[in-house]
Amino acid sequence: MTVQELPGAAAYRPTPPPAWKPITDPAPLLPDPEPYRVLGTDAVADVDPELLLRLHAELVRGRRYNAQATALTKQGRLAVYPSSTGQEACEIAAALVLEERDWLFPSYRDTLAAVARGLDPVEALTLLRGDRHTGYDPREHRIAPLCTPLATQLPHAVGLAHAARLKGDDVVALAMVGDGGTSEGDFHEALNFAAVWKAPVVFFVQNNGFAISVPLAKQTAAPSLAHKAVGYGMPGRLVDGNDAAAVHQVLSEAVARARRGEGPTLVEAVTYRMEAHTNADDATRYRVDSEVEAWKAHDPVRLLERELTERGLLDDAGIEQAKEAAERMAAALRDRMNADPELTPMDLFTHVYAEQTGQLREQAAALRAELDAEQDQDEHSAEAGR
């Protein structure tokens, strides 16, 4: 029996309660039809020249960092490296807009953002070398562990931000994710909770065109990923991800909005992954070289360098100085990564629980006994050989 067949159905005129009504007008939440730009527009005149120069120095350093880390994979010093070459403007801006008390929630591709925030370059690569799950103390640096499962860092960012607000702490969480991560359920859950709670979170999507080999058009039919924001009741911003000044401005506005208690923002940066997904990927199987070459004309380093030189803020000597500083960083990284790490097997049990369980204590005791027996055997063999 349908509702219409029930007795008195003709007189039934449901009136939705207030909770059913839209909370906000969707129009102000919609992103602009085209990505926001600063470089090459009149808006660049309002940007602090010192900020532009700092962005340039960090971009040059970041490009060299990516190149060196990629080389380390070929030398066997890294197991895998997901390069962010071509996306450096996003990485650097994400790090620079945060205060020291804020938190960064990176994905596995965002090692450069962590380094730009002040993390030791070697510690940022420890996970990718396979030494430890995380090579740094997240609490010390306010950087969550590099997240290899897609989008699981987003609910974590919401939880931390919501807890900080409940405690009265003036903290903003910036969560980074790729376009592929927006197809995960964690993305939906994080945005929904954040918007309902008005949590101080910024969701930063780096749309680099591909989720490994899957192009964006096969992931979503939305006009843009930024348009997804309106469905959750938060603003969506669309920005040119290769325009460092534009990304910095849009993210700064989103962070300030979150800090004022106005809730989360979804920012989509349209960028491009110049290199393969990782060193284990063959990008030629799903994209053509001409596409990559076309994006090189929109290279983030080249765009900012051209703006600075045209405005007389940067000359050849300044460009060379930035390159030399980047090369010194790369040389130090190379030397340190070429040294074999000193690992302690007992560390396997150190950071599992705050207080070890009985089972872990048993396992640790068994491993300690094996290590002691092995050491005794080695000492016995050494004495026998004298």
Side-chain angles (χ1 to χ4, degrees):
M1 178 179 290
T2 66
V3 172
Q4 287 75 18
E5 294 170 335
L6 290 171
Y12 178 65
R13 295 290 185 269
T15 301
W20 287 22
K21 296 180 180 179
I23 296 174
T24 57
D25 176 8
L29 306 180
L30 290 170
D32 294 332
E34 294 295 328
Y36 178 70
R37 294 183 175 88
V38 169
L39 300 180
T41 73
D42 294 339
V44 75
D46 298 326
V47 182
D48 182 0
E50 291 299 321
L51 172 61
L52 292 176
L53 288 169
R54 184 182 180 190
L55 286 170
H56 173 261
E58 291 289 350
L59 287 181
V60 173
R61 181 172 176 257
R63 178 62 55 87
R64 187 64 185 89
Y65 173 83
N66 272 317
Q68 186 58 67
T70 299
L72 288 168
T73 64
K74 298 176 181 179
Q75 298 162 6
R77 286 298 180 180
L78 277 182
V80 66
Y81 184 67
S83 173
S84 58
T85 298
Q87 301 176 218
E88 290 94 346
C90 298
E91 299 283 310
I92 299 304
L96 296 190
V97 298
L98 296 176
E99 300 289 342
E100 185 177 351
R101 62 187 179 278
D102 296 330
W103 274 78
L104 179 70
F105 282 78
S107 73
Y108 55 84
R109 194 177 300 280
D110 301 321
T111 50
L112 178 53
V115 171
R117 184 153 166 77
L119 185 63
D120 184 314
V122 172
E123 291 183 354
L125 295 175
T126 298
L127 166 67
L128 302 173
R129 184 159 60 174
D131 296 344
R132 297 175 183 269
H133 177 257
T134 300
Y136 55 91
D137 181 352
R139 290 180 180 272
E140 177 186 353
H141 300 282
R142 298 293 179 111
I143 302 172
L146 292 167
C147 188
T148 49
L150 286 185
T152 56
Q153 73 274 20
L154 305 186
H156 299 164
V158 175
L160 182 141
H162 182 54
R165 196 184 69 158
L166 293 176
K167 291 169 61 179
D169 294 341
D170 184 21
V171 169
V172 173
L174 191 152
M176 305 179 72
V177 67
D179 50 287
T182 65
S183 296
E184 295 288 330
D186 301 77
F187 175 82
H188 157 75
E189 292 150 5
L191 268 68
N192 197 52
F193 273 115
V196 171
W197 289 337
K198 297 189 74 172
V201 186
V202 176
F203 299 101
F204 184 34
V205 180
Q206 296 178 80
N207 176 7
N208 64 21
F210 295 91
I212 306 183
S213 60
V214 181
L216 184 67
K218 291 189 176 181
Q219 293 187 67
T220 180
S224 74
L225 295 173
H227 276 79
K228 292 179 179 288
V230 69
Y232 299 97
M234 69 179 71
R237 295 296 306 275
L238 188 61
V239 63
D240 183 341
N242 288 16
D243 183 334
V247 179
H248 188 277
Q249 179 181 327
V250 169
L251 287 179
S252 294
E253 292 170 354
V255 168
R257 180 177 180 275
R259 206 181 302 281
R260 290 194 302 267
E262 297 176 20
T265 303
L266 173 62
V267 177
E268 176 191 356
V270 181
T271 183
Y272 194 77
R273 191 191 75 219
M274 293 292 189
E275 297 184 354
H277 176 70
T278 70
N279 52 294
D281 173 41
D282 180 6
T284 62
R285 299 183 64 181
Y286 54 86
R287 67 183 188 187
V288 294
D289 291 341
S290 59
E291 178 179 304
V292 180
E293 288 301 317
W295 272 92
K296 285 183 179 179
H298 200 60
D299 179 281
V301 180
R302 187 184 304 179
L303 285 178
L304 186 52
E305 215 162 77
R306 183 169 61 205
E307 184 73 46
L308 288 168
T309 53
E310 289 178 355
R311 296 183 62 194
L313 298 172
L314 186 68
D315 55 16
D316 291 343
I319 293 173
E320 190 60 31
Q321 183 179 3
K323 290 181 178 178
E324 289 175 355
E327 192 57 48
R328 289 193 295 271
M329 176 277 300
L333 174 61
R334 184 169 56 248
D335 290 344
R336 293 175 63 197
M337 289 294 291
N338 282 334
D340 290 332
E342 297 182 5
L343 302 178
T344 303
M346 295 306 297
D347 282 348
L348 284 168
F349 308 96
T350 303
H351 302 292
V352 184
Y353 292 103
E355 295 183 11
Q356 285 191 352
T357 63
Q359 187 178 43
L360 275 180
R361 288 195 295 271
E362 290 176 8
Q363 293 173 355
L367 178 59
R368 170 54 64 196
E370 291 182 18
L371 293 173
D372 290 344
E374 185 176 313
Q375 183 178 355
D376 291 343
Q377 184 176 3
D378 290 342
E379 292 174 354
H380 180 74
S381 298
E383 292 177 1
R386 290 195 182 101

